[in-house]
Amino acid sequence: MHESRAMLSLNVCRSSLLLLAGRTRASRMALHSSSVSQNRATGKKPVNAAGEEVYYEQRGSGAHPILCISGALGTANSDFFPQLEYFGREESSYTIVGYDPMGYGNSRPPERNFESKTEIFFERDASDGHSLMQALSFPKFSVLGWSDGGIAAMILAARFPEAVQKLVVWGANSYISDEDISLFENTRDVKKWSARMREPMEAMYGVTYFPKLWSDWLDAMIAIKLKTPDGDLCKKDLPKIKCPTLVVHGAKDAMVPQFHPDYIHGNIAESRLVVMPDGKHNLHWKYAKEFNELVDNFLSE
């Protein structure tokens, strides 16, 4: 366990307001990009016994497959556009896949279901991601997970160890603290969000459904905290992760204090922690070049 502990006042662990600024940039970049890989595919694949399908985007044709798992309410393009472009370019040694988790973005219908008597929704996202890669004929792959997607990525690596080559997580944690609950509630009224943060979500989900979806997510997180005294999201899974793991943290991330990546790093045996001094929650957007090169070096070792 690391000795460093952040003295940050905001202890939010999910992809809430700040990440949406990055998604606004995603829309602009998607419109103006001229370097999209020609080796790309989009579509839907069934990922469970009920035949439910998730939407995915695949780019590149390299020998090393990568799966990207999005944050709360996020999609492949809204959350990972810089990574799809970089790792999916023609000369890349990677094939990168991003998917919209069930009930988000283009993976609708069905609408998002946060309730289950047997599992939390992060576990479903992990299982769906694994099933998608198997359906795409990638039996072994690396995983990039951001925020909510980082939780699902850690669960995937723990429960399907034979499938995961390497793991990269950032902006994620493995439990919900008491302080998180009150901060979650502060974001419930989406009318108080800035237009820059609110409008991309309204465009994706509609002005009526978006606030309901966000409120449902908040209620689900609170329910997890109430059911488990320590707010366990994937704490019990961390010791089961055996693959090499890179934990990245932005020192200026007001949503995830330093003790969260410290805890993850301290409980995954084959892990290393890299702190980006100027990084915030969406460090993979603002510092895309540095982040992509860091991940590229790690994956190619």
Side-chain angles (χ1 to χ4, degrees):
M1 193 72 69
H2 286 262
E3 296 179 358
S4 59
R5 290 294 183 270
M7 300 301 293
L8 302 176
S9 60
L10 293 179
N11 187 27
V12 184
C13 59
R14 298 277 55 78
S15 310
S16 56
L17 300 179
L18 292 181
L19 63 87
L20 297 179
R23 289 172 177 166
T24 303
R25 280 199 303 279
S27 300
R28 293 198 300 267
M29 289 180 68
L31 290 173
H32 298 292
S33 173
S34 61
S35 59
V36 177
S37 169
Q38 298 302 308
N39 294 312
R40 61 182 302 179
T42 61
K44 286 189 174 184
K45 288 283 186 180
V47 293
N48 58 34
E52 293 175 326
E53 299 179 326
V54 297
Y55 173 86
Y56 74 96
E57 297 211 7
Q58 178 180 327
R59 300 187 187 178
S61 57
H64 189 153
I66 301 172
L67 172 68
C68 299
I69 308 182
S70 306
L73 279 63
T75 68
N77 263 309
S78 70
D79 287 7
F80 292 110
F81 186 82
Q83 287 66 54
L84 290 170
E85 290 292 274
Y86 177 84
F87 291 99
R89 65 196 190 280
E90 291 298 319
E91 67 275 19
S92 173
S93 59
Y94 304 97
T95 296
I96 186 166
V97 176
Y99 77 103
D100 299 2
M102 193 73 69
Y104 289 162
N106 291 311
S107 291
R108 297 178 294 150
E111 300 300 344
R112 185 71 166 178
N113 177 16
F114 292 105
E115 297 182 3
S116 172
K117 294 181 179 180
T118 59
E119 61 183 359
I120 61 175
F121 58 91
F122 299 106
E123 295 173 314
R124 295 201 305 270
D125 291 344
S127 178
D128 289 349
H130 174 261
S131 296
L132 172 63
M133 294 302 275
Q134 304 309 301
L136 293 173
S137 299
F138 298 127
K140 194 172 183 68
F141 51 93
S142 293
V143 186
L144 309 184
W146 175 46
S147 201
D148 269 24
I151 299 168
M154 289 185 282
I155 294 172
L156 194 163
R159 302 187 186 183
F160 303 97
E162 74 289 344
V164 180
Q165 185 172 342
K166 291 188 176 183
L167 172 66
V168 182
V169 295
W170 68 104
N173 60 356
S174 56
Y175 62 92
I176 307 170
S177 70
D178 290 332
E179 291 84 357
D180 291 327
I181 299 301
S182 61
L183 290 169
F184 291 161
E185 286 295 350
N186 289 338
T187 70
R188 189 178 291 273
D189 186 358
V190 300
K191 294 179 182 178
K192 296 180 180 179
W193 293 20
S194 71
R196 184 183 65 175
M197 297 174 178
R198 185 184 65 254
E199 288 174 357
M201 292 292 99
E202 290 178 339
M204 183 180 299
Y205 296 109
V207 295
T208 300
Y209 183 58
F210 161 54
K212 179 185 184 302
L213 183 60
W214 183 250
S215 184
D216 287 348
W217 178 86
L218 293 170
D219 290 342
M221 298 301 288
I222 293 169
I224 292 172
K225 175 60 177 173
L226 293 176
K227 290 178 182 177
T228 58
D230 57 356
D232 186 13
L233 295 169
C234 64
K235 289 174 66 175
K236 60 183 177 296
D237 290 292
L238 300 185
K240 302 175 185 177
I241 298 175
K242 305 304 180 183
C243 64
T245 301
L246 175 63
V247 183
V248 184
H249 181 65
K252 296 182 179 179
D253 189 340
M255 301 174 70
V256 181
Q258 182 72 47
F259 61 77
H260 282 306
D262 281 349
Y263 185 88
I264 294 170
H265 175 38
N267 285 274
I268 298 178
E270 297 297 323
S271 69
R272 70 185 71 168
L273 172 63
V274 174
V275 177
M276 298 180 69
D278 295 320
K280 296 183 180 180
H281 192 60
N282 60 349
L283 57 84
H284 64 301
W285 269 94
K286 187 169 184 179
Y287 299 101
K289 181 177 184 296
E290 294 88 343
F291 176 82
N292 289 341
E293 290 177 353
L294 173 67
V295 172
D296 194 353
N297 290 335
F298 170 71
L299 295 181
S300 62
E301 289 177 353

